[in-house]
Amino acid sequence: MKKFFKISGSILTVLLVVFSILCVKSYFESKKPVISEGYYKDFKSSAELESKYSVPGPYEISSYIFDIDDKSIDKIRVWYPSELESESKKYPMIMVVNASNVQAYKYEPFFAKLASWGFIVVGNDAGQTGTGESSTFTLDYVLNVGADNILYEKVDEDNVGILGYSQGGAGAIRAVTEFQNGSIYKAIFTGSAAYPYLAKNMGWEYDSARISIPYFMTAGTGKSDDSGKNPETEFGGVCPFSTLLDIYNSISNDTEKVIARVVEAEHEDMLLRTDAYMTAWFLYQLQNDNEAAKIFVGSNAELLQNDNWQDVMIKER
């Protein structure tokens, strides 16, 4: 019997060591970035403008971190054109709402690339964002910095956009429609936003009919976004096409809106595959960029001609 307990004790010790190693490994895995520097180099397109906006823009970039006394957010992270520090002009701003457990520090190159096109880009380290609360707090915080902060009077409050992927898509919609400061947003983009029935069951319920700003909504055609099952009775994927259509149709035709799906893209592919046109959308909406507008405007809009995309519907201004 003593020998049995001795052996069992040894096994227990080994198991505890293995468990400890796995916990440490899990911790460090959770800190790893989800994209790396130069992530956009893997993207290829034969479409002229999609190719143009898939790489960094002309601005050198700097960044700034606010430490927040709120463990659910922890840090607010800001990327901006370096010239902001010496110029007196204001810059359009984009709020980024994180996907599930993908805090801003895990995909910093994404923020930096977007900022290189002339935007102040803001994120935070919230791991759960579907309610829209963390982004709402972040927006108020950044817009009310003191005179001693680099961002003081540098945000063009007439040109503020918001974007989110997956859970962050639901959070972006809620940030626009459910909170008082949501009225400041001028345009929204979502990549595979959790569809309404899924969002409701996760505690992120939203009413897309309340969206009254230009909206570019995207999803992938892969099974993880659209399983082909009835999304009201079974898990339909994160963002089935039928639910995108419902959202599109729920929004007033007085509002500019675009729906498009990325060919053969799975849920995890969406950030890379939509990055170029997401950037162009905000250049068009927040900077009045006429070239970027060619992707979305007119019978020859590039989005309509691009084989990387399907199921395109555009309701212009």
Side-chain angles (χ1 to χ4, degrees):
M1 184 65 73
K2 289 182 179 178
K3 184 176 181 181
F4 172 77
F5 281 115
K6 183 177 180 181
I7 293 173
S8 297
S10 298
I11 293 173
L12 178 61
T13 300
V14 170
L15 289 174
L16 287 172
V17 170
V18 171
F19 178 73
S20 298
I21 291 172
L22 289 175
C23 285
V24 171
K25 182 180 179 182
S26 177
Y27 172 79
F28 282 108
E29 287 288 335
S30 72
K31 299 297 181 182
K32 284 185 176 180
V34 295
I35 61 173
S36 57
E37 294 289 345
Y39 70 94
Y40 46 82
K41 294 178 182 178
D42 294 330
F43 180 78
K44 305 296 181 186
S45 175
S46 60
E48 178 184 358
L49 296 178
E50 188 175 36
S51 180
K52 173 180 177 176
Y53 298 119
S54 70
V55 297
Y59 290 86
E60 294 293 327
I61 297 304
S62 297
S63 60
Y64 188 91
I65 297 175
F66 297 96
D67 288 309
I68 304 301
D69 189 22
D70 181 335
K71 292 301 181 183
S72 67
I73 293 177
D74 189 32
K75 290 179 173 57
I76 292 174
R77 300 174 185 270
V78 183
W79 289 259
Y80 57 89
S82 300
E83 69 171 35
L84 175 150
E85 297 174 3
S86 57
E87 295 286 337
S88 59
K89 68 179 184 179
K90 296 185 177 184
Y91 296 78
M93 188 176 86
I94 299 173
M95 177 69 62
V96 181
V97 191
N98 302 328
S100 302
N101 294 311
V102 184
Q103 297 88 338
Y105 71 81
K106 293 182 180 179
Y107 61 123
E108 293 189 53
F110 170 83
F111 292 85
K113 177 189 169 291
L114 185 53
S116 74
W117 285 96
F119 300 103
I120 297 170
V121 186
V122 180
N124 59 43
D125 286 350
Q128 300 298 316
T129 62
T131 65
E133 293 177 15
S134 63
S135 299
T136 297
F137 173 90
T138 300
L139 178 63
D140 275 343
Y141 194 96
V142 171
L143 293 182
N144 290 283
V145 295
D148 60 337
N149 189 270
I150 192 67
L151 296 180
Y152 181 69
E153 295 188 343
K154 293 298 178 70
V155 177
D156 178 359
E157 295 188 21
D158 291 328
N159 287 290
V160 178
I162 187 169
L163 71 91
Y165 288 87
S166 195
Q167 179 184 162
I173 295 172
R174 285 185 55 85
V176 168
T177 60
E178 299 292 334
F179 297 89
Q180 185 173 357
N181 67 3
S183 62
I184 197 170
Y185 293 113
K186 185 179 178 182
I188 179 173
F189 167 92
T190 60
S192 301
Y195 75 90
Y197 187 72
L198 172 61
K200 180 178 180 180
N201 281 282
M202 296 300 292
W204 316 322
E205 185 175 9
Y206 58 81
D207 181 1
S208 56
R210 298 179 65 184
I211 297 173
S212 59
I213 58 176
Y215 183 13
F216 182 19
M217 62 197 84
T218 68
T221 63
K223 294 294 185 182
S224 51
D225 263 358
D226 192 341
S227 68
K229 299 176 181 178
N230 184 340
E232 298 300 323
T233 59
E234 301 178 79
F235 179 63
V238 179
C239 190
F241 181 51
S242 62
T243 65
L244 268 185
L245 282 174
D246 289 342
I247 291 171
Y248 182 90
N249 291 327
S250 74
I251 299 170
S252 168
N253 281 330
D254 293 330
T255 300
E256 186 173 11
K257 52 187 177 178
V258 179
I259 184 172
R261 292 204 298 166
V262 188
V263 175
E264 296 182 355
E266 294 295 343
H267 190 68
E268 65 272 17
D269 301 326
M270 287 298 291
L271 185 145
L272 175 62
R273 295 286 300 276
T274 65
D275 190 34
Y277 278 175
M278 175 276 297
T279 301
W281 177 249
F282 287 116
L283 284 167
Y284 165 41
Q285 297 293 341
L286 306 182
Q287 296 190 27
N288 294 314
D289 188 307
N290 290 328
E291 188 167 30
K294 293 176 183 178
I295 294 168
F296 308 100
V297 176
S299 59
N300 292 318
E302 185 178 275
L303 182 56
L304 294 169
Q305 319 296 328
N306 190 338
D307 290 340
N308 288 337
W309 297 78
Q310 68 178 57
D311 306 313
V312 178
M313 298 175 67
I314 300 175
K315 174 59 179 67
E316 296 181 23
R317 292 174 182 170

